[in-house]
Amino acid sequence: MTALPHMEQLRDIISQLREHCPWTAQLTHEALTPYLIEEAQEVAEEIDAGITGEPLRKELGDILLQVALHAAISQERGEFDLDGVAEALCAKLIRRNPHVFDPHGALNPKPATVDEIDAAWDRIKAQEKAELD
């Protein structure tokens, strides 16, 4: 795997801000929620307007900031960290794409139509939700 030096730098910057910036230090999941929604709307507006490239990259960075802040708050609570968020996402992508991966995450592509892929995604998502209930 390739190292992600800027992700490490982002984690370090968030940690320093949480420790040394009173505004950032007081943030909670609840306080961040409006910013998360606002940033997601801004990304959607860029895409809807056909704006990509550097402007979209910057807007996606704002979403990443929200994820990193939420992960930092959870890490402080001993719940999970940014790598744990990525781990959960990787596991979900492997589970929900059985046409690409075997259950252990090994590459094992099989032919599938877009309709079959959509149906499998929805079915697996429903199974996951039922397991949580």
Side-chain angles (χ1 to χ4, degrees):
M1 269 236 171
T2 306
L4 300 172
H6 294 102
M7 289 295 290
E8 288 298 321
Q9 182 182 19
L10 174 60
R11 252 200 292 217
D12 291 343
I13 290 169
I14 296 296
S15 177
Q16 295 301 319
L17 287 170
R18 293 285 293 164
E19 184 175 345
H20 302 289
C21 172
W23 187 86
T24 307
Q26 57 84 35
L27 291 173
T28 63
H29 291 303
E30 295 79 13
L32 282 169
T33 299
Y35 300 114
L36 178 62
I37 293 166
E38 176 185 337
E39 297 302 347
Q41 288 172 334
E42 289 177 7
V43 168
E45 289 168 6
E46 295 276 321
I47 293 168
D48 286 346
I51 299 169
T52 60
E54 188 64 17
L56 181 59
R57 180 176 87 122
K58 288 180 177 180
E59 291 298 337
L60 290 171
D62 293 341
I63 294 283
L64 183 57
L65 171 60
Q66 295 301 308
V67 173
L69 284 167
H70 281 281
I73 291 166
S74 292
Q75 182 176 3
E76 292 164 7
R77 295 176 177 182
E79 298 168 339
F80 59 83
D81 62 7
L82 189 57
D83 194 57
V85 173
E87 177 185 29
L89 177 56
C90 290
K92 177 190 289 187
L93 290 172
I94 289 167
R95 276 192 320 273
R96 293 195 187 172
N97 289 282
H99 61 286
V100 178
F101 303 102
D102 74 14
H104 303 288
L107 183 63
N108 187 19
K110 301 172 197 74
T113 67
V114 171
D115 289 339
E116 291 169 336
I117 294 166
D118 283 341
W121 182 280
D122 291 341
R123 177 181 43 74
I124 295 164
K125 183 177 179 178
Q127 287 171 341
E128 291 168 353
K129 184 171 173 32
E131 291 170 4
L132 292 175
D133 292 340

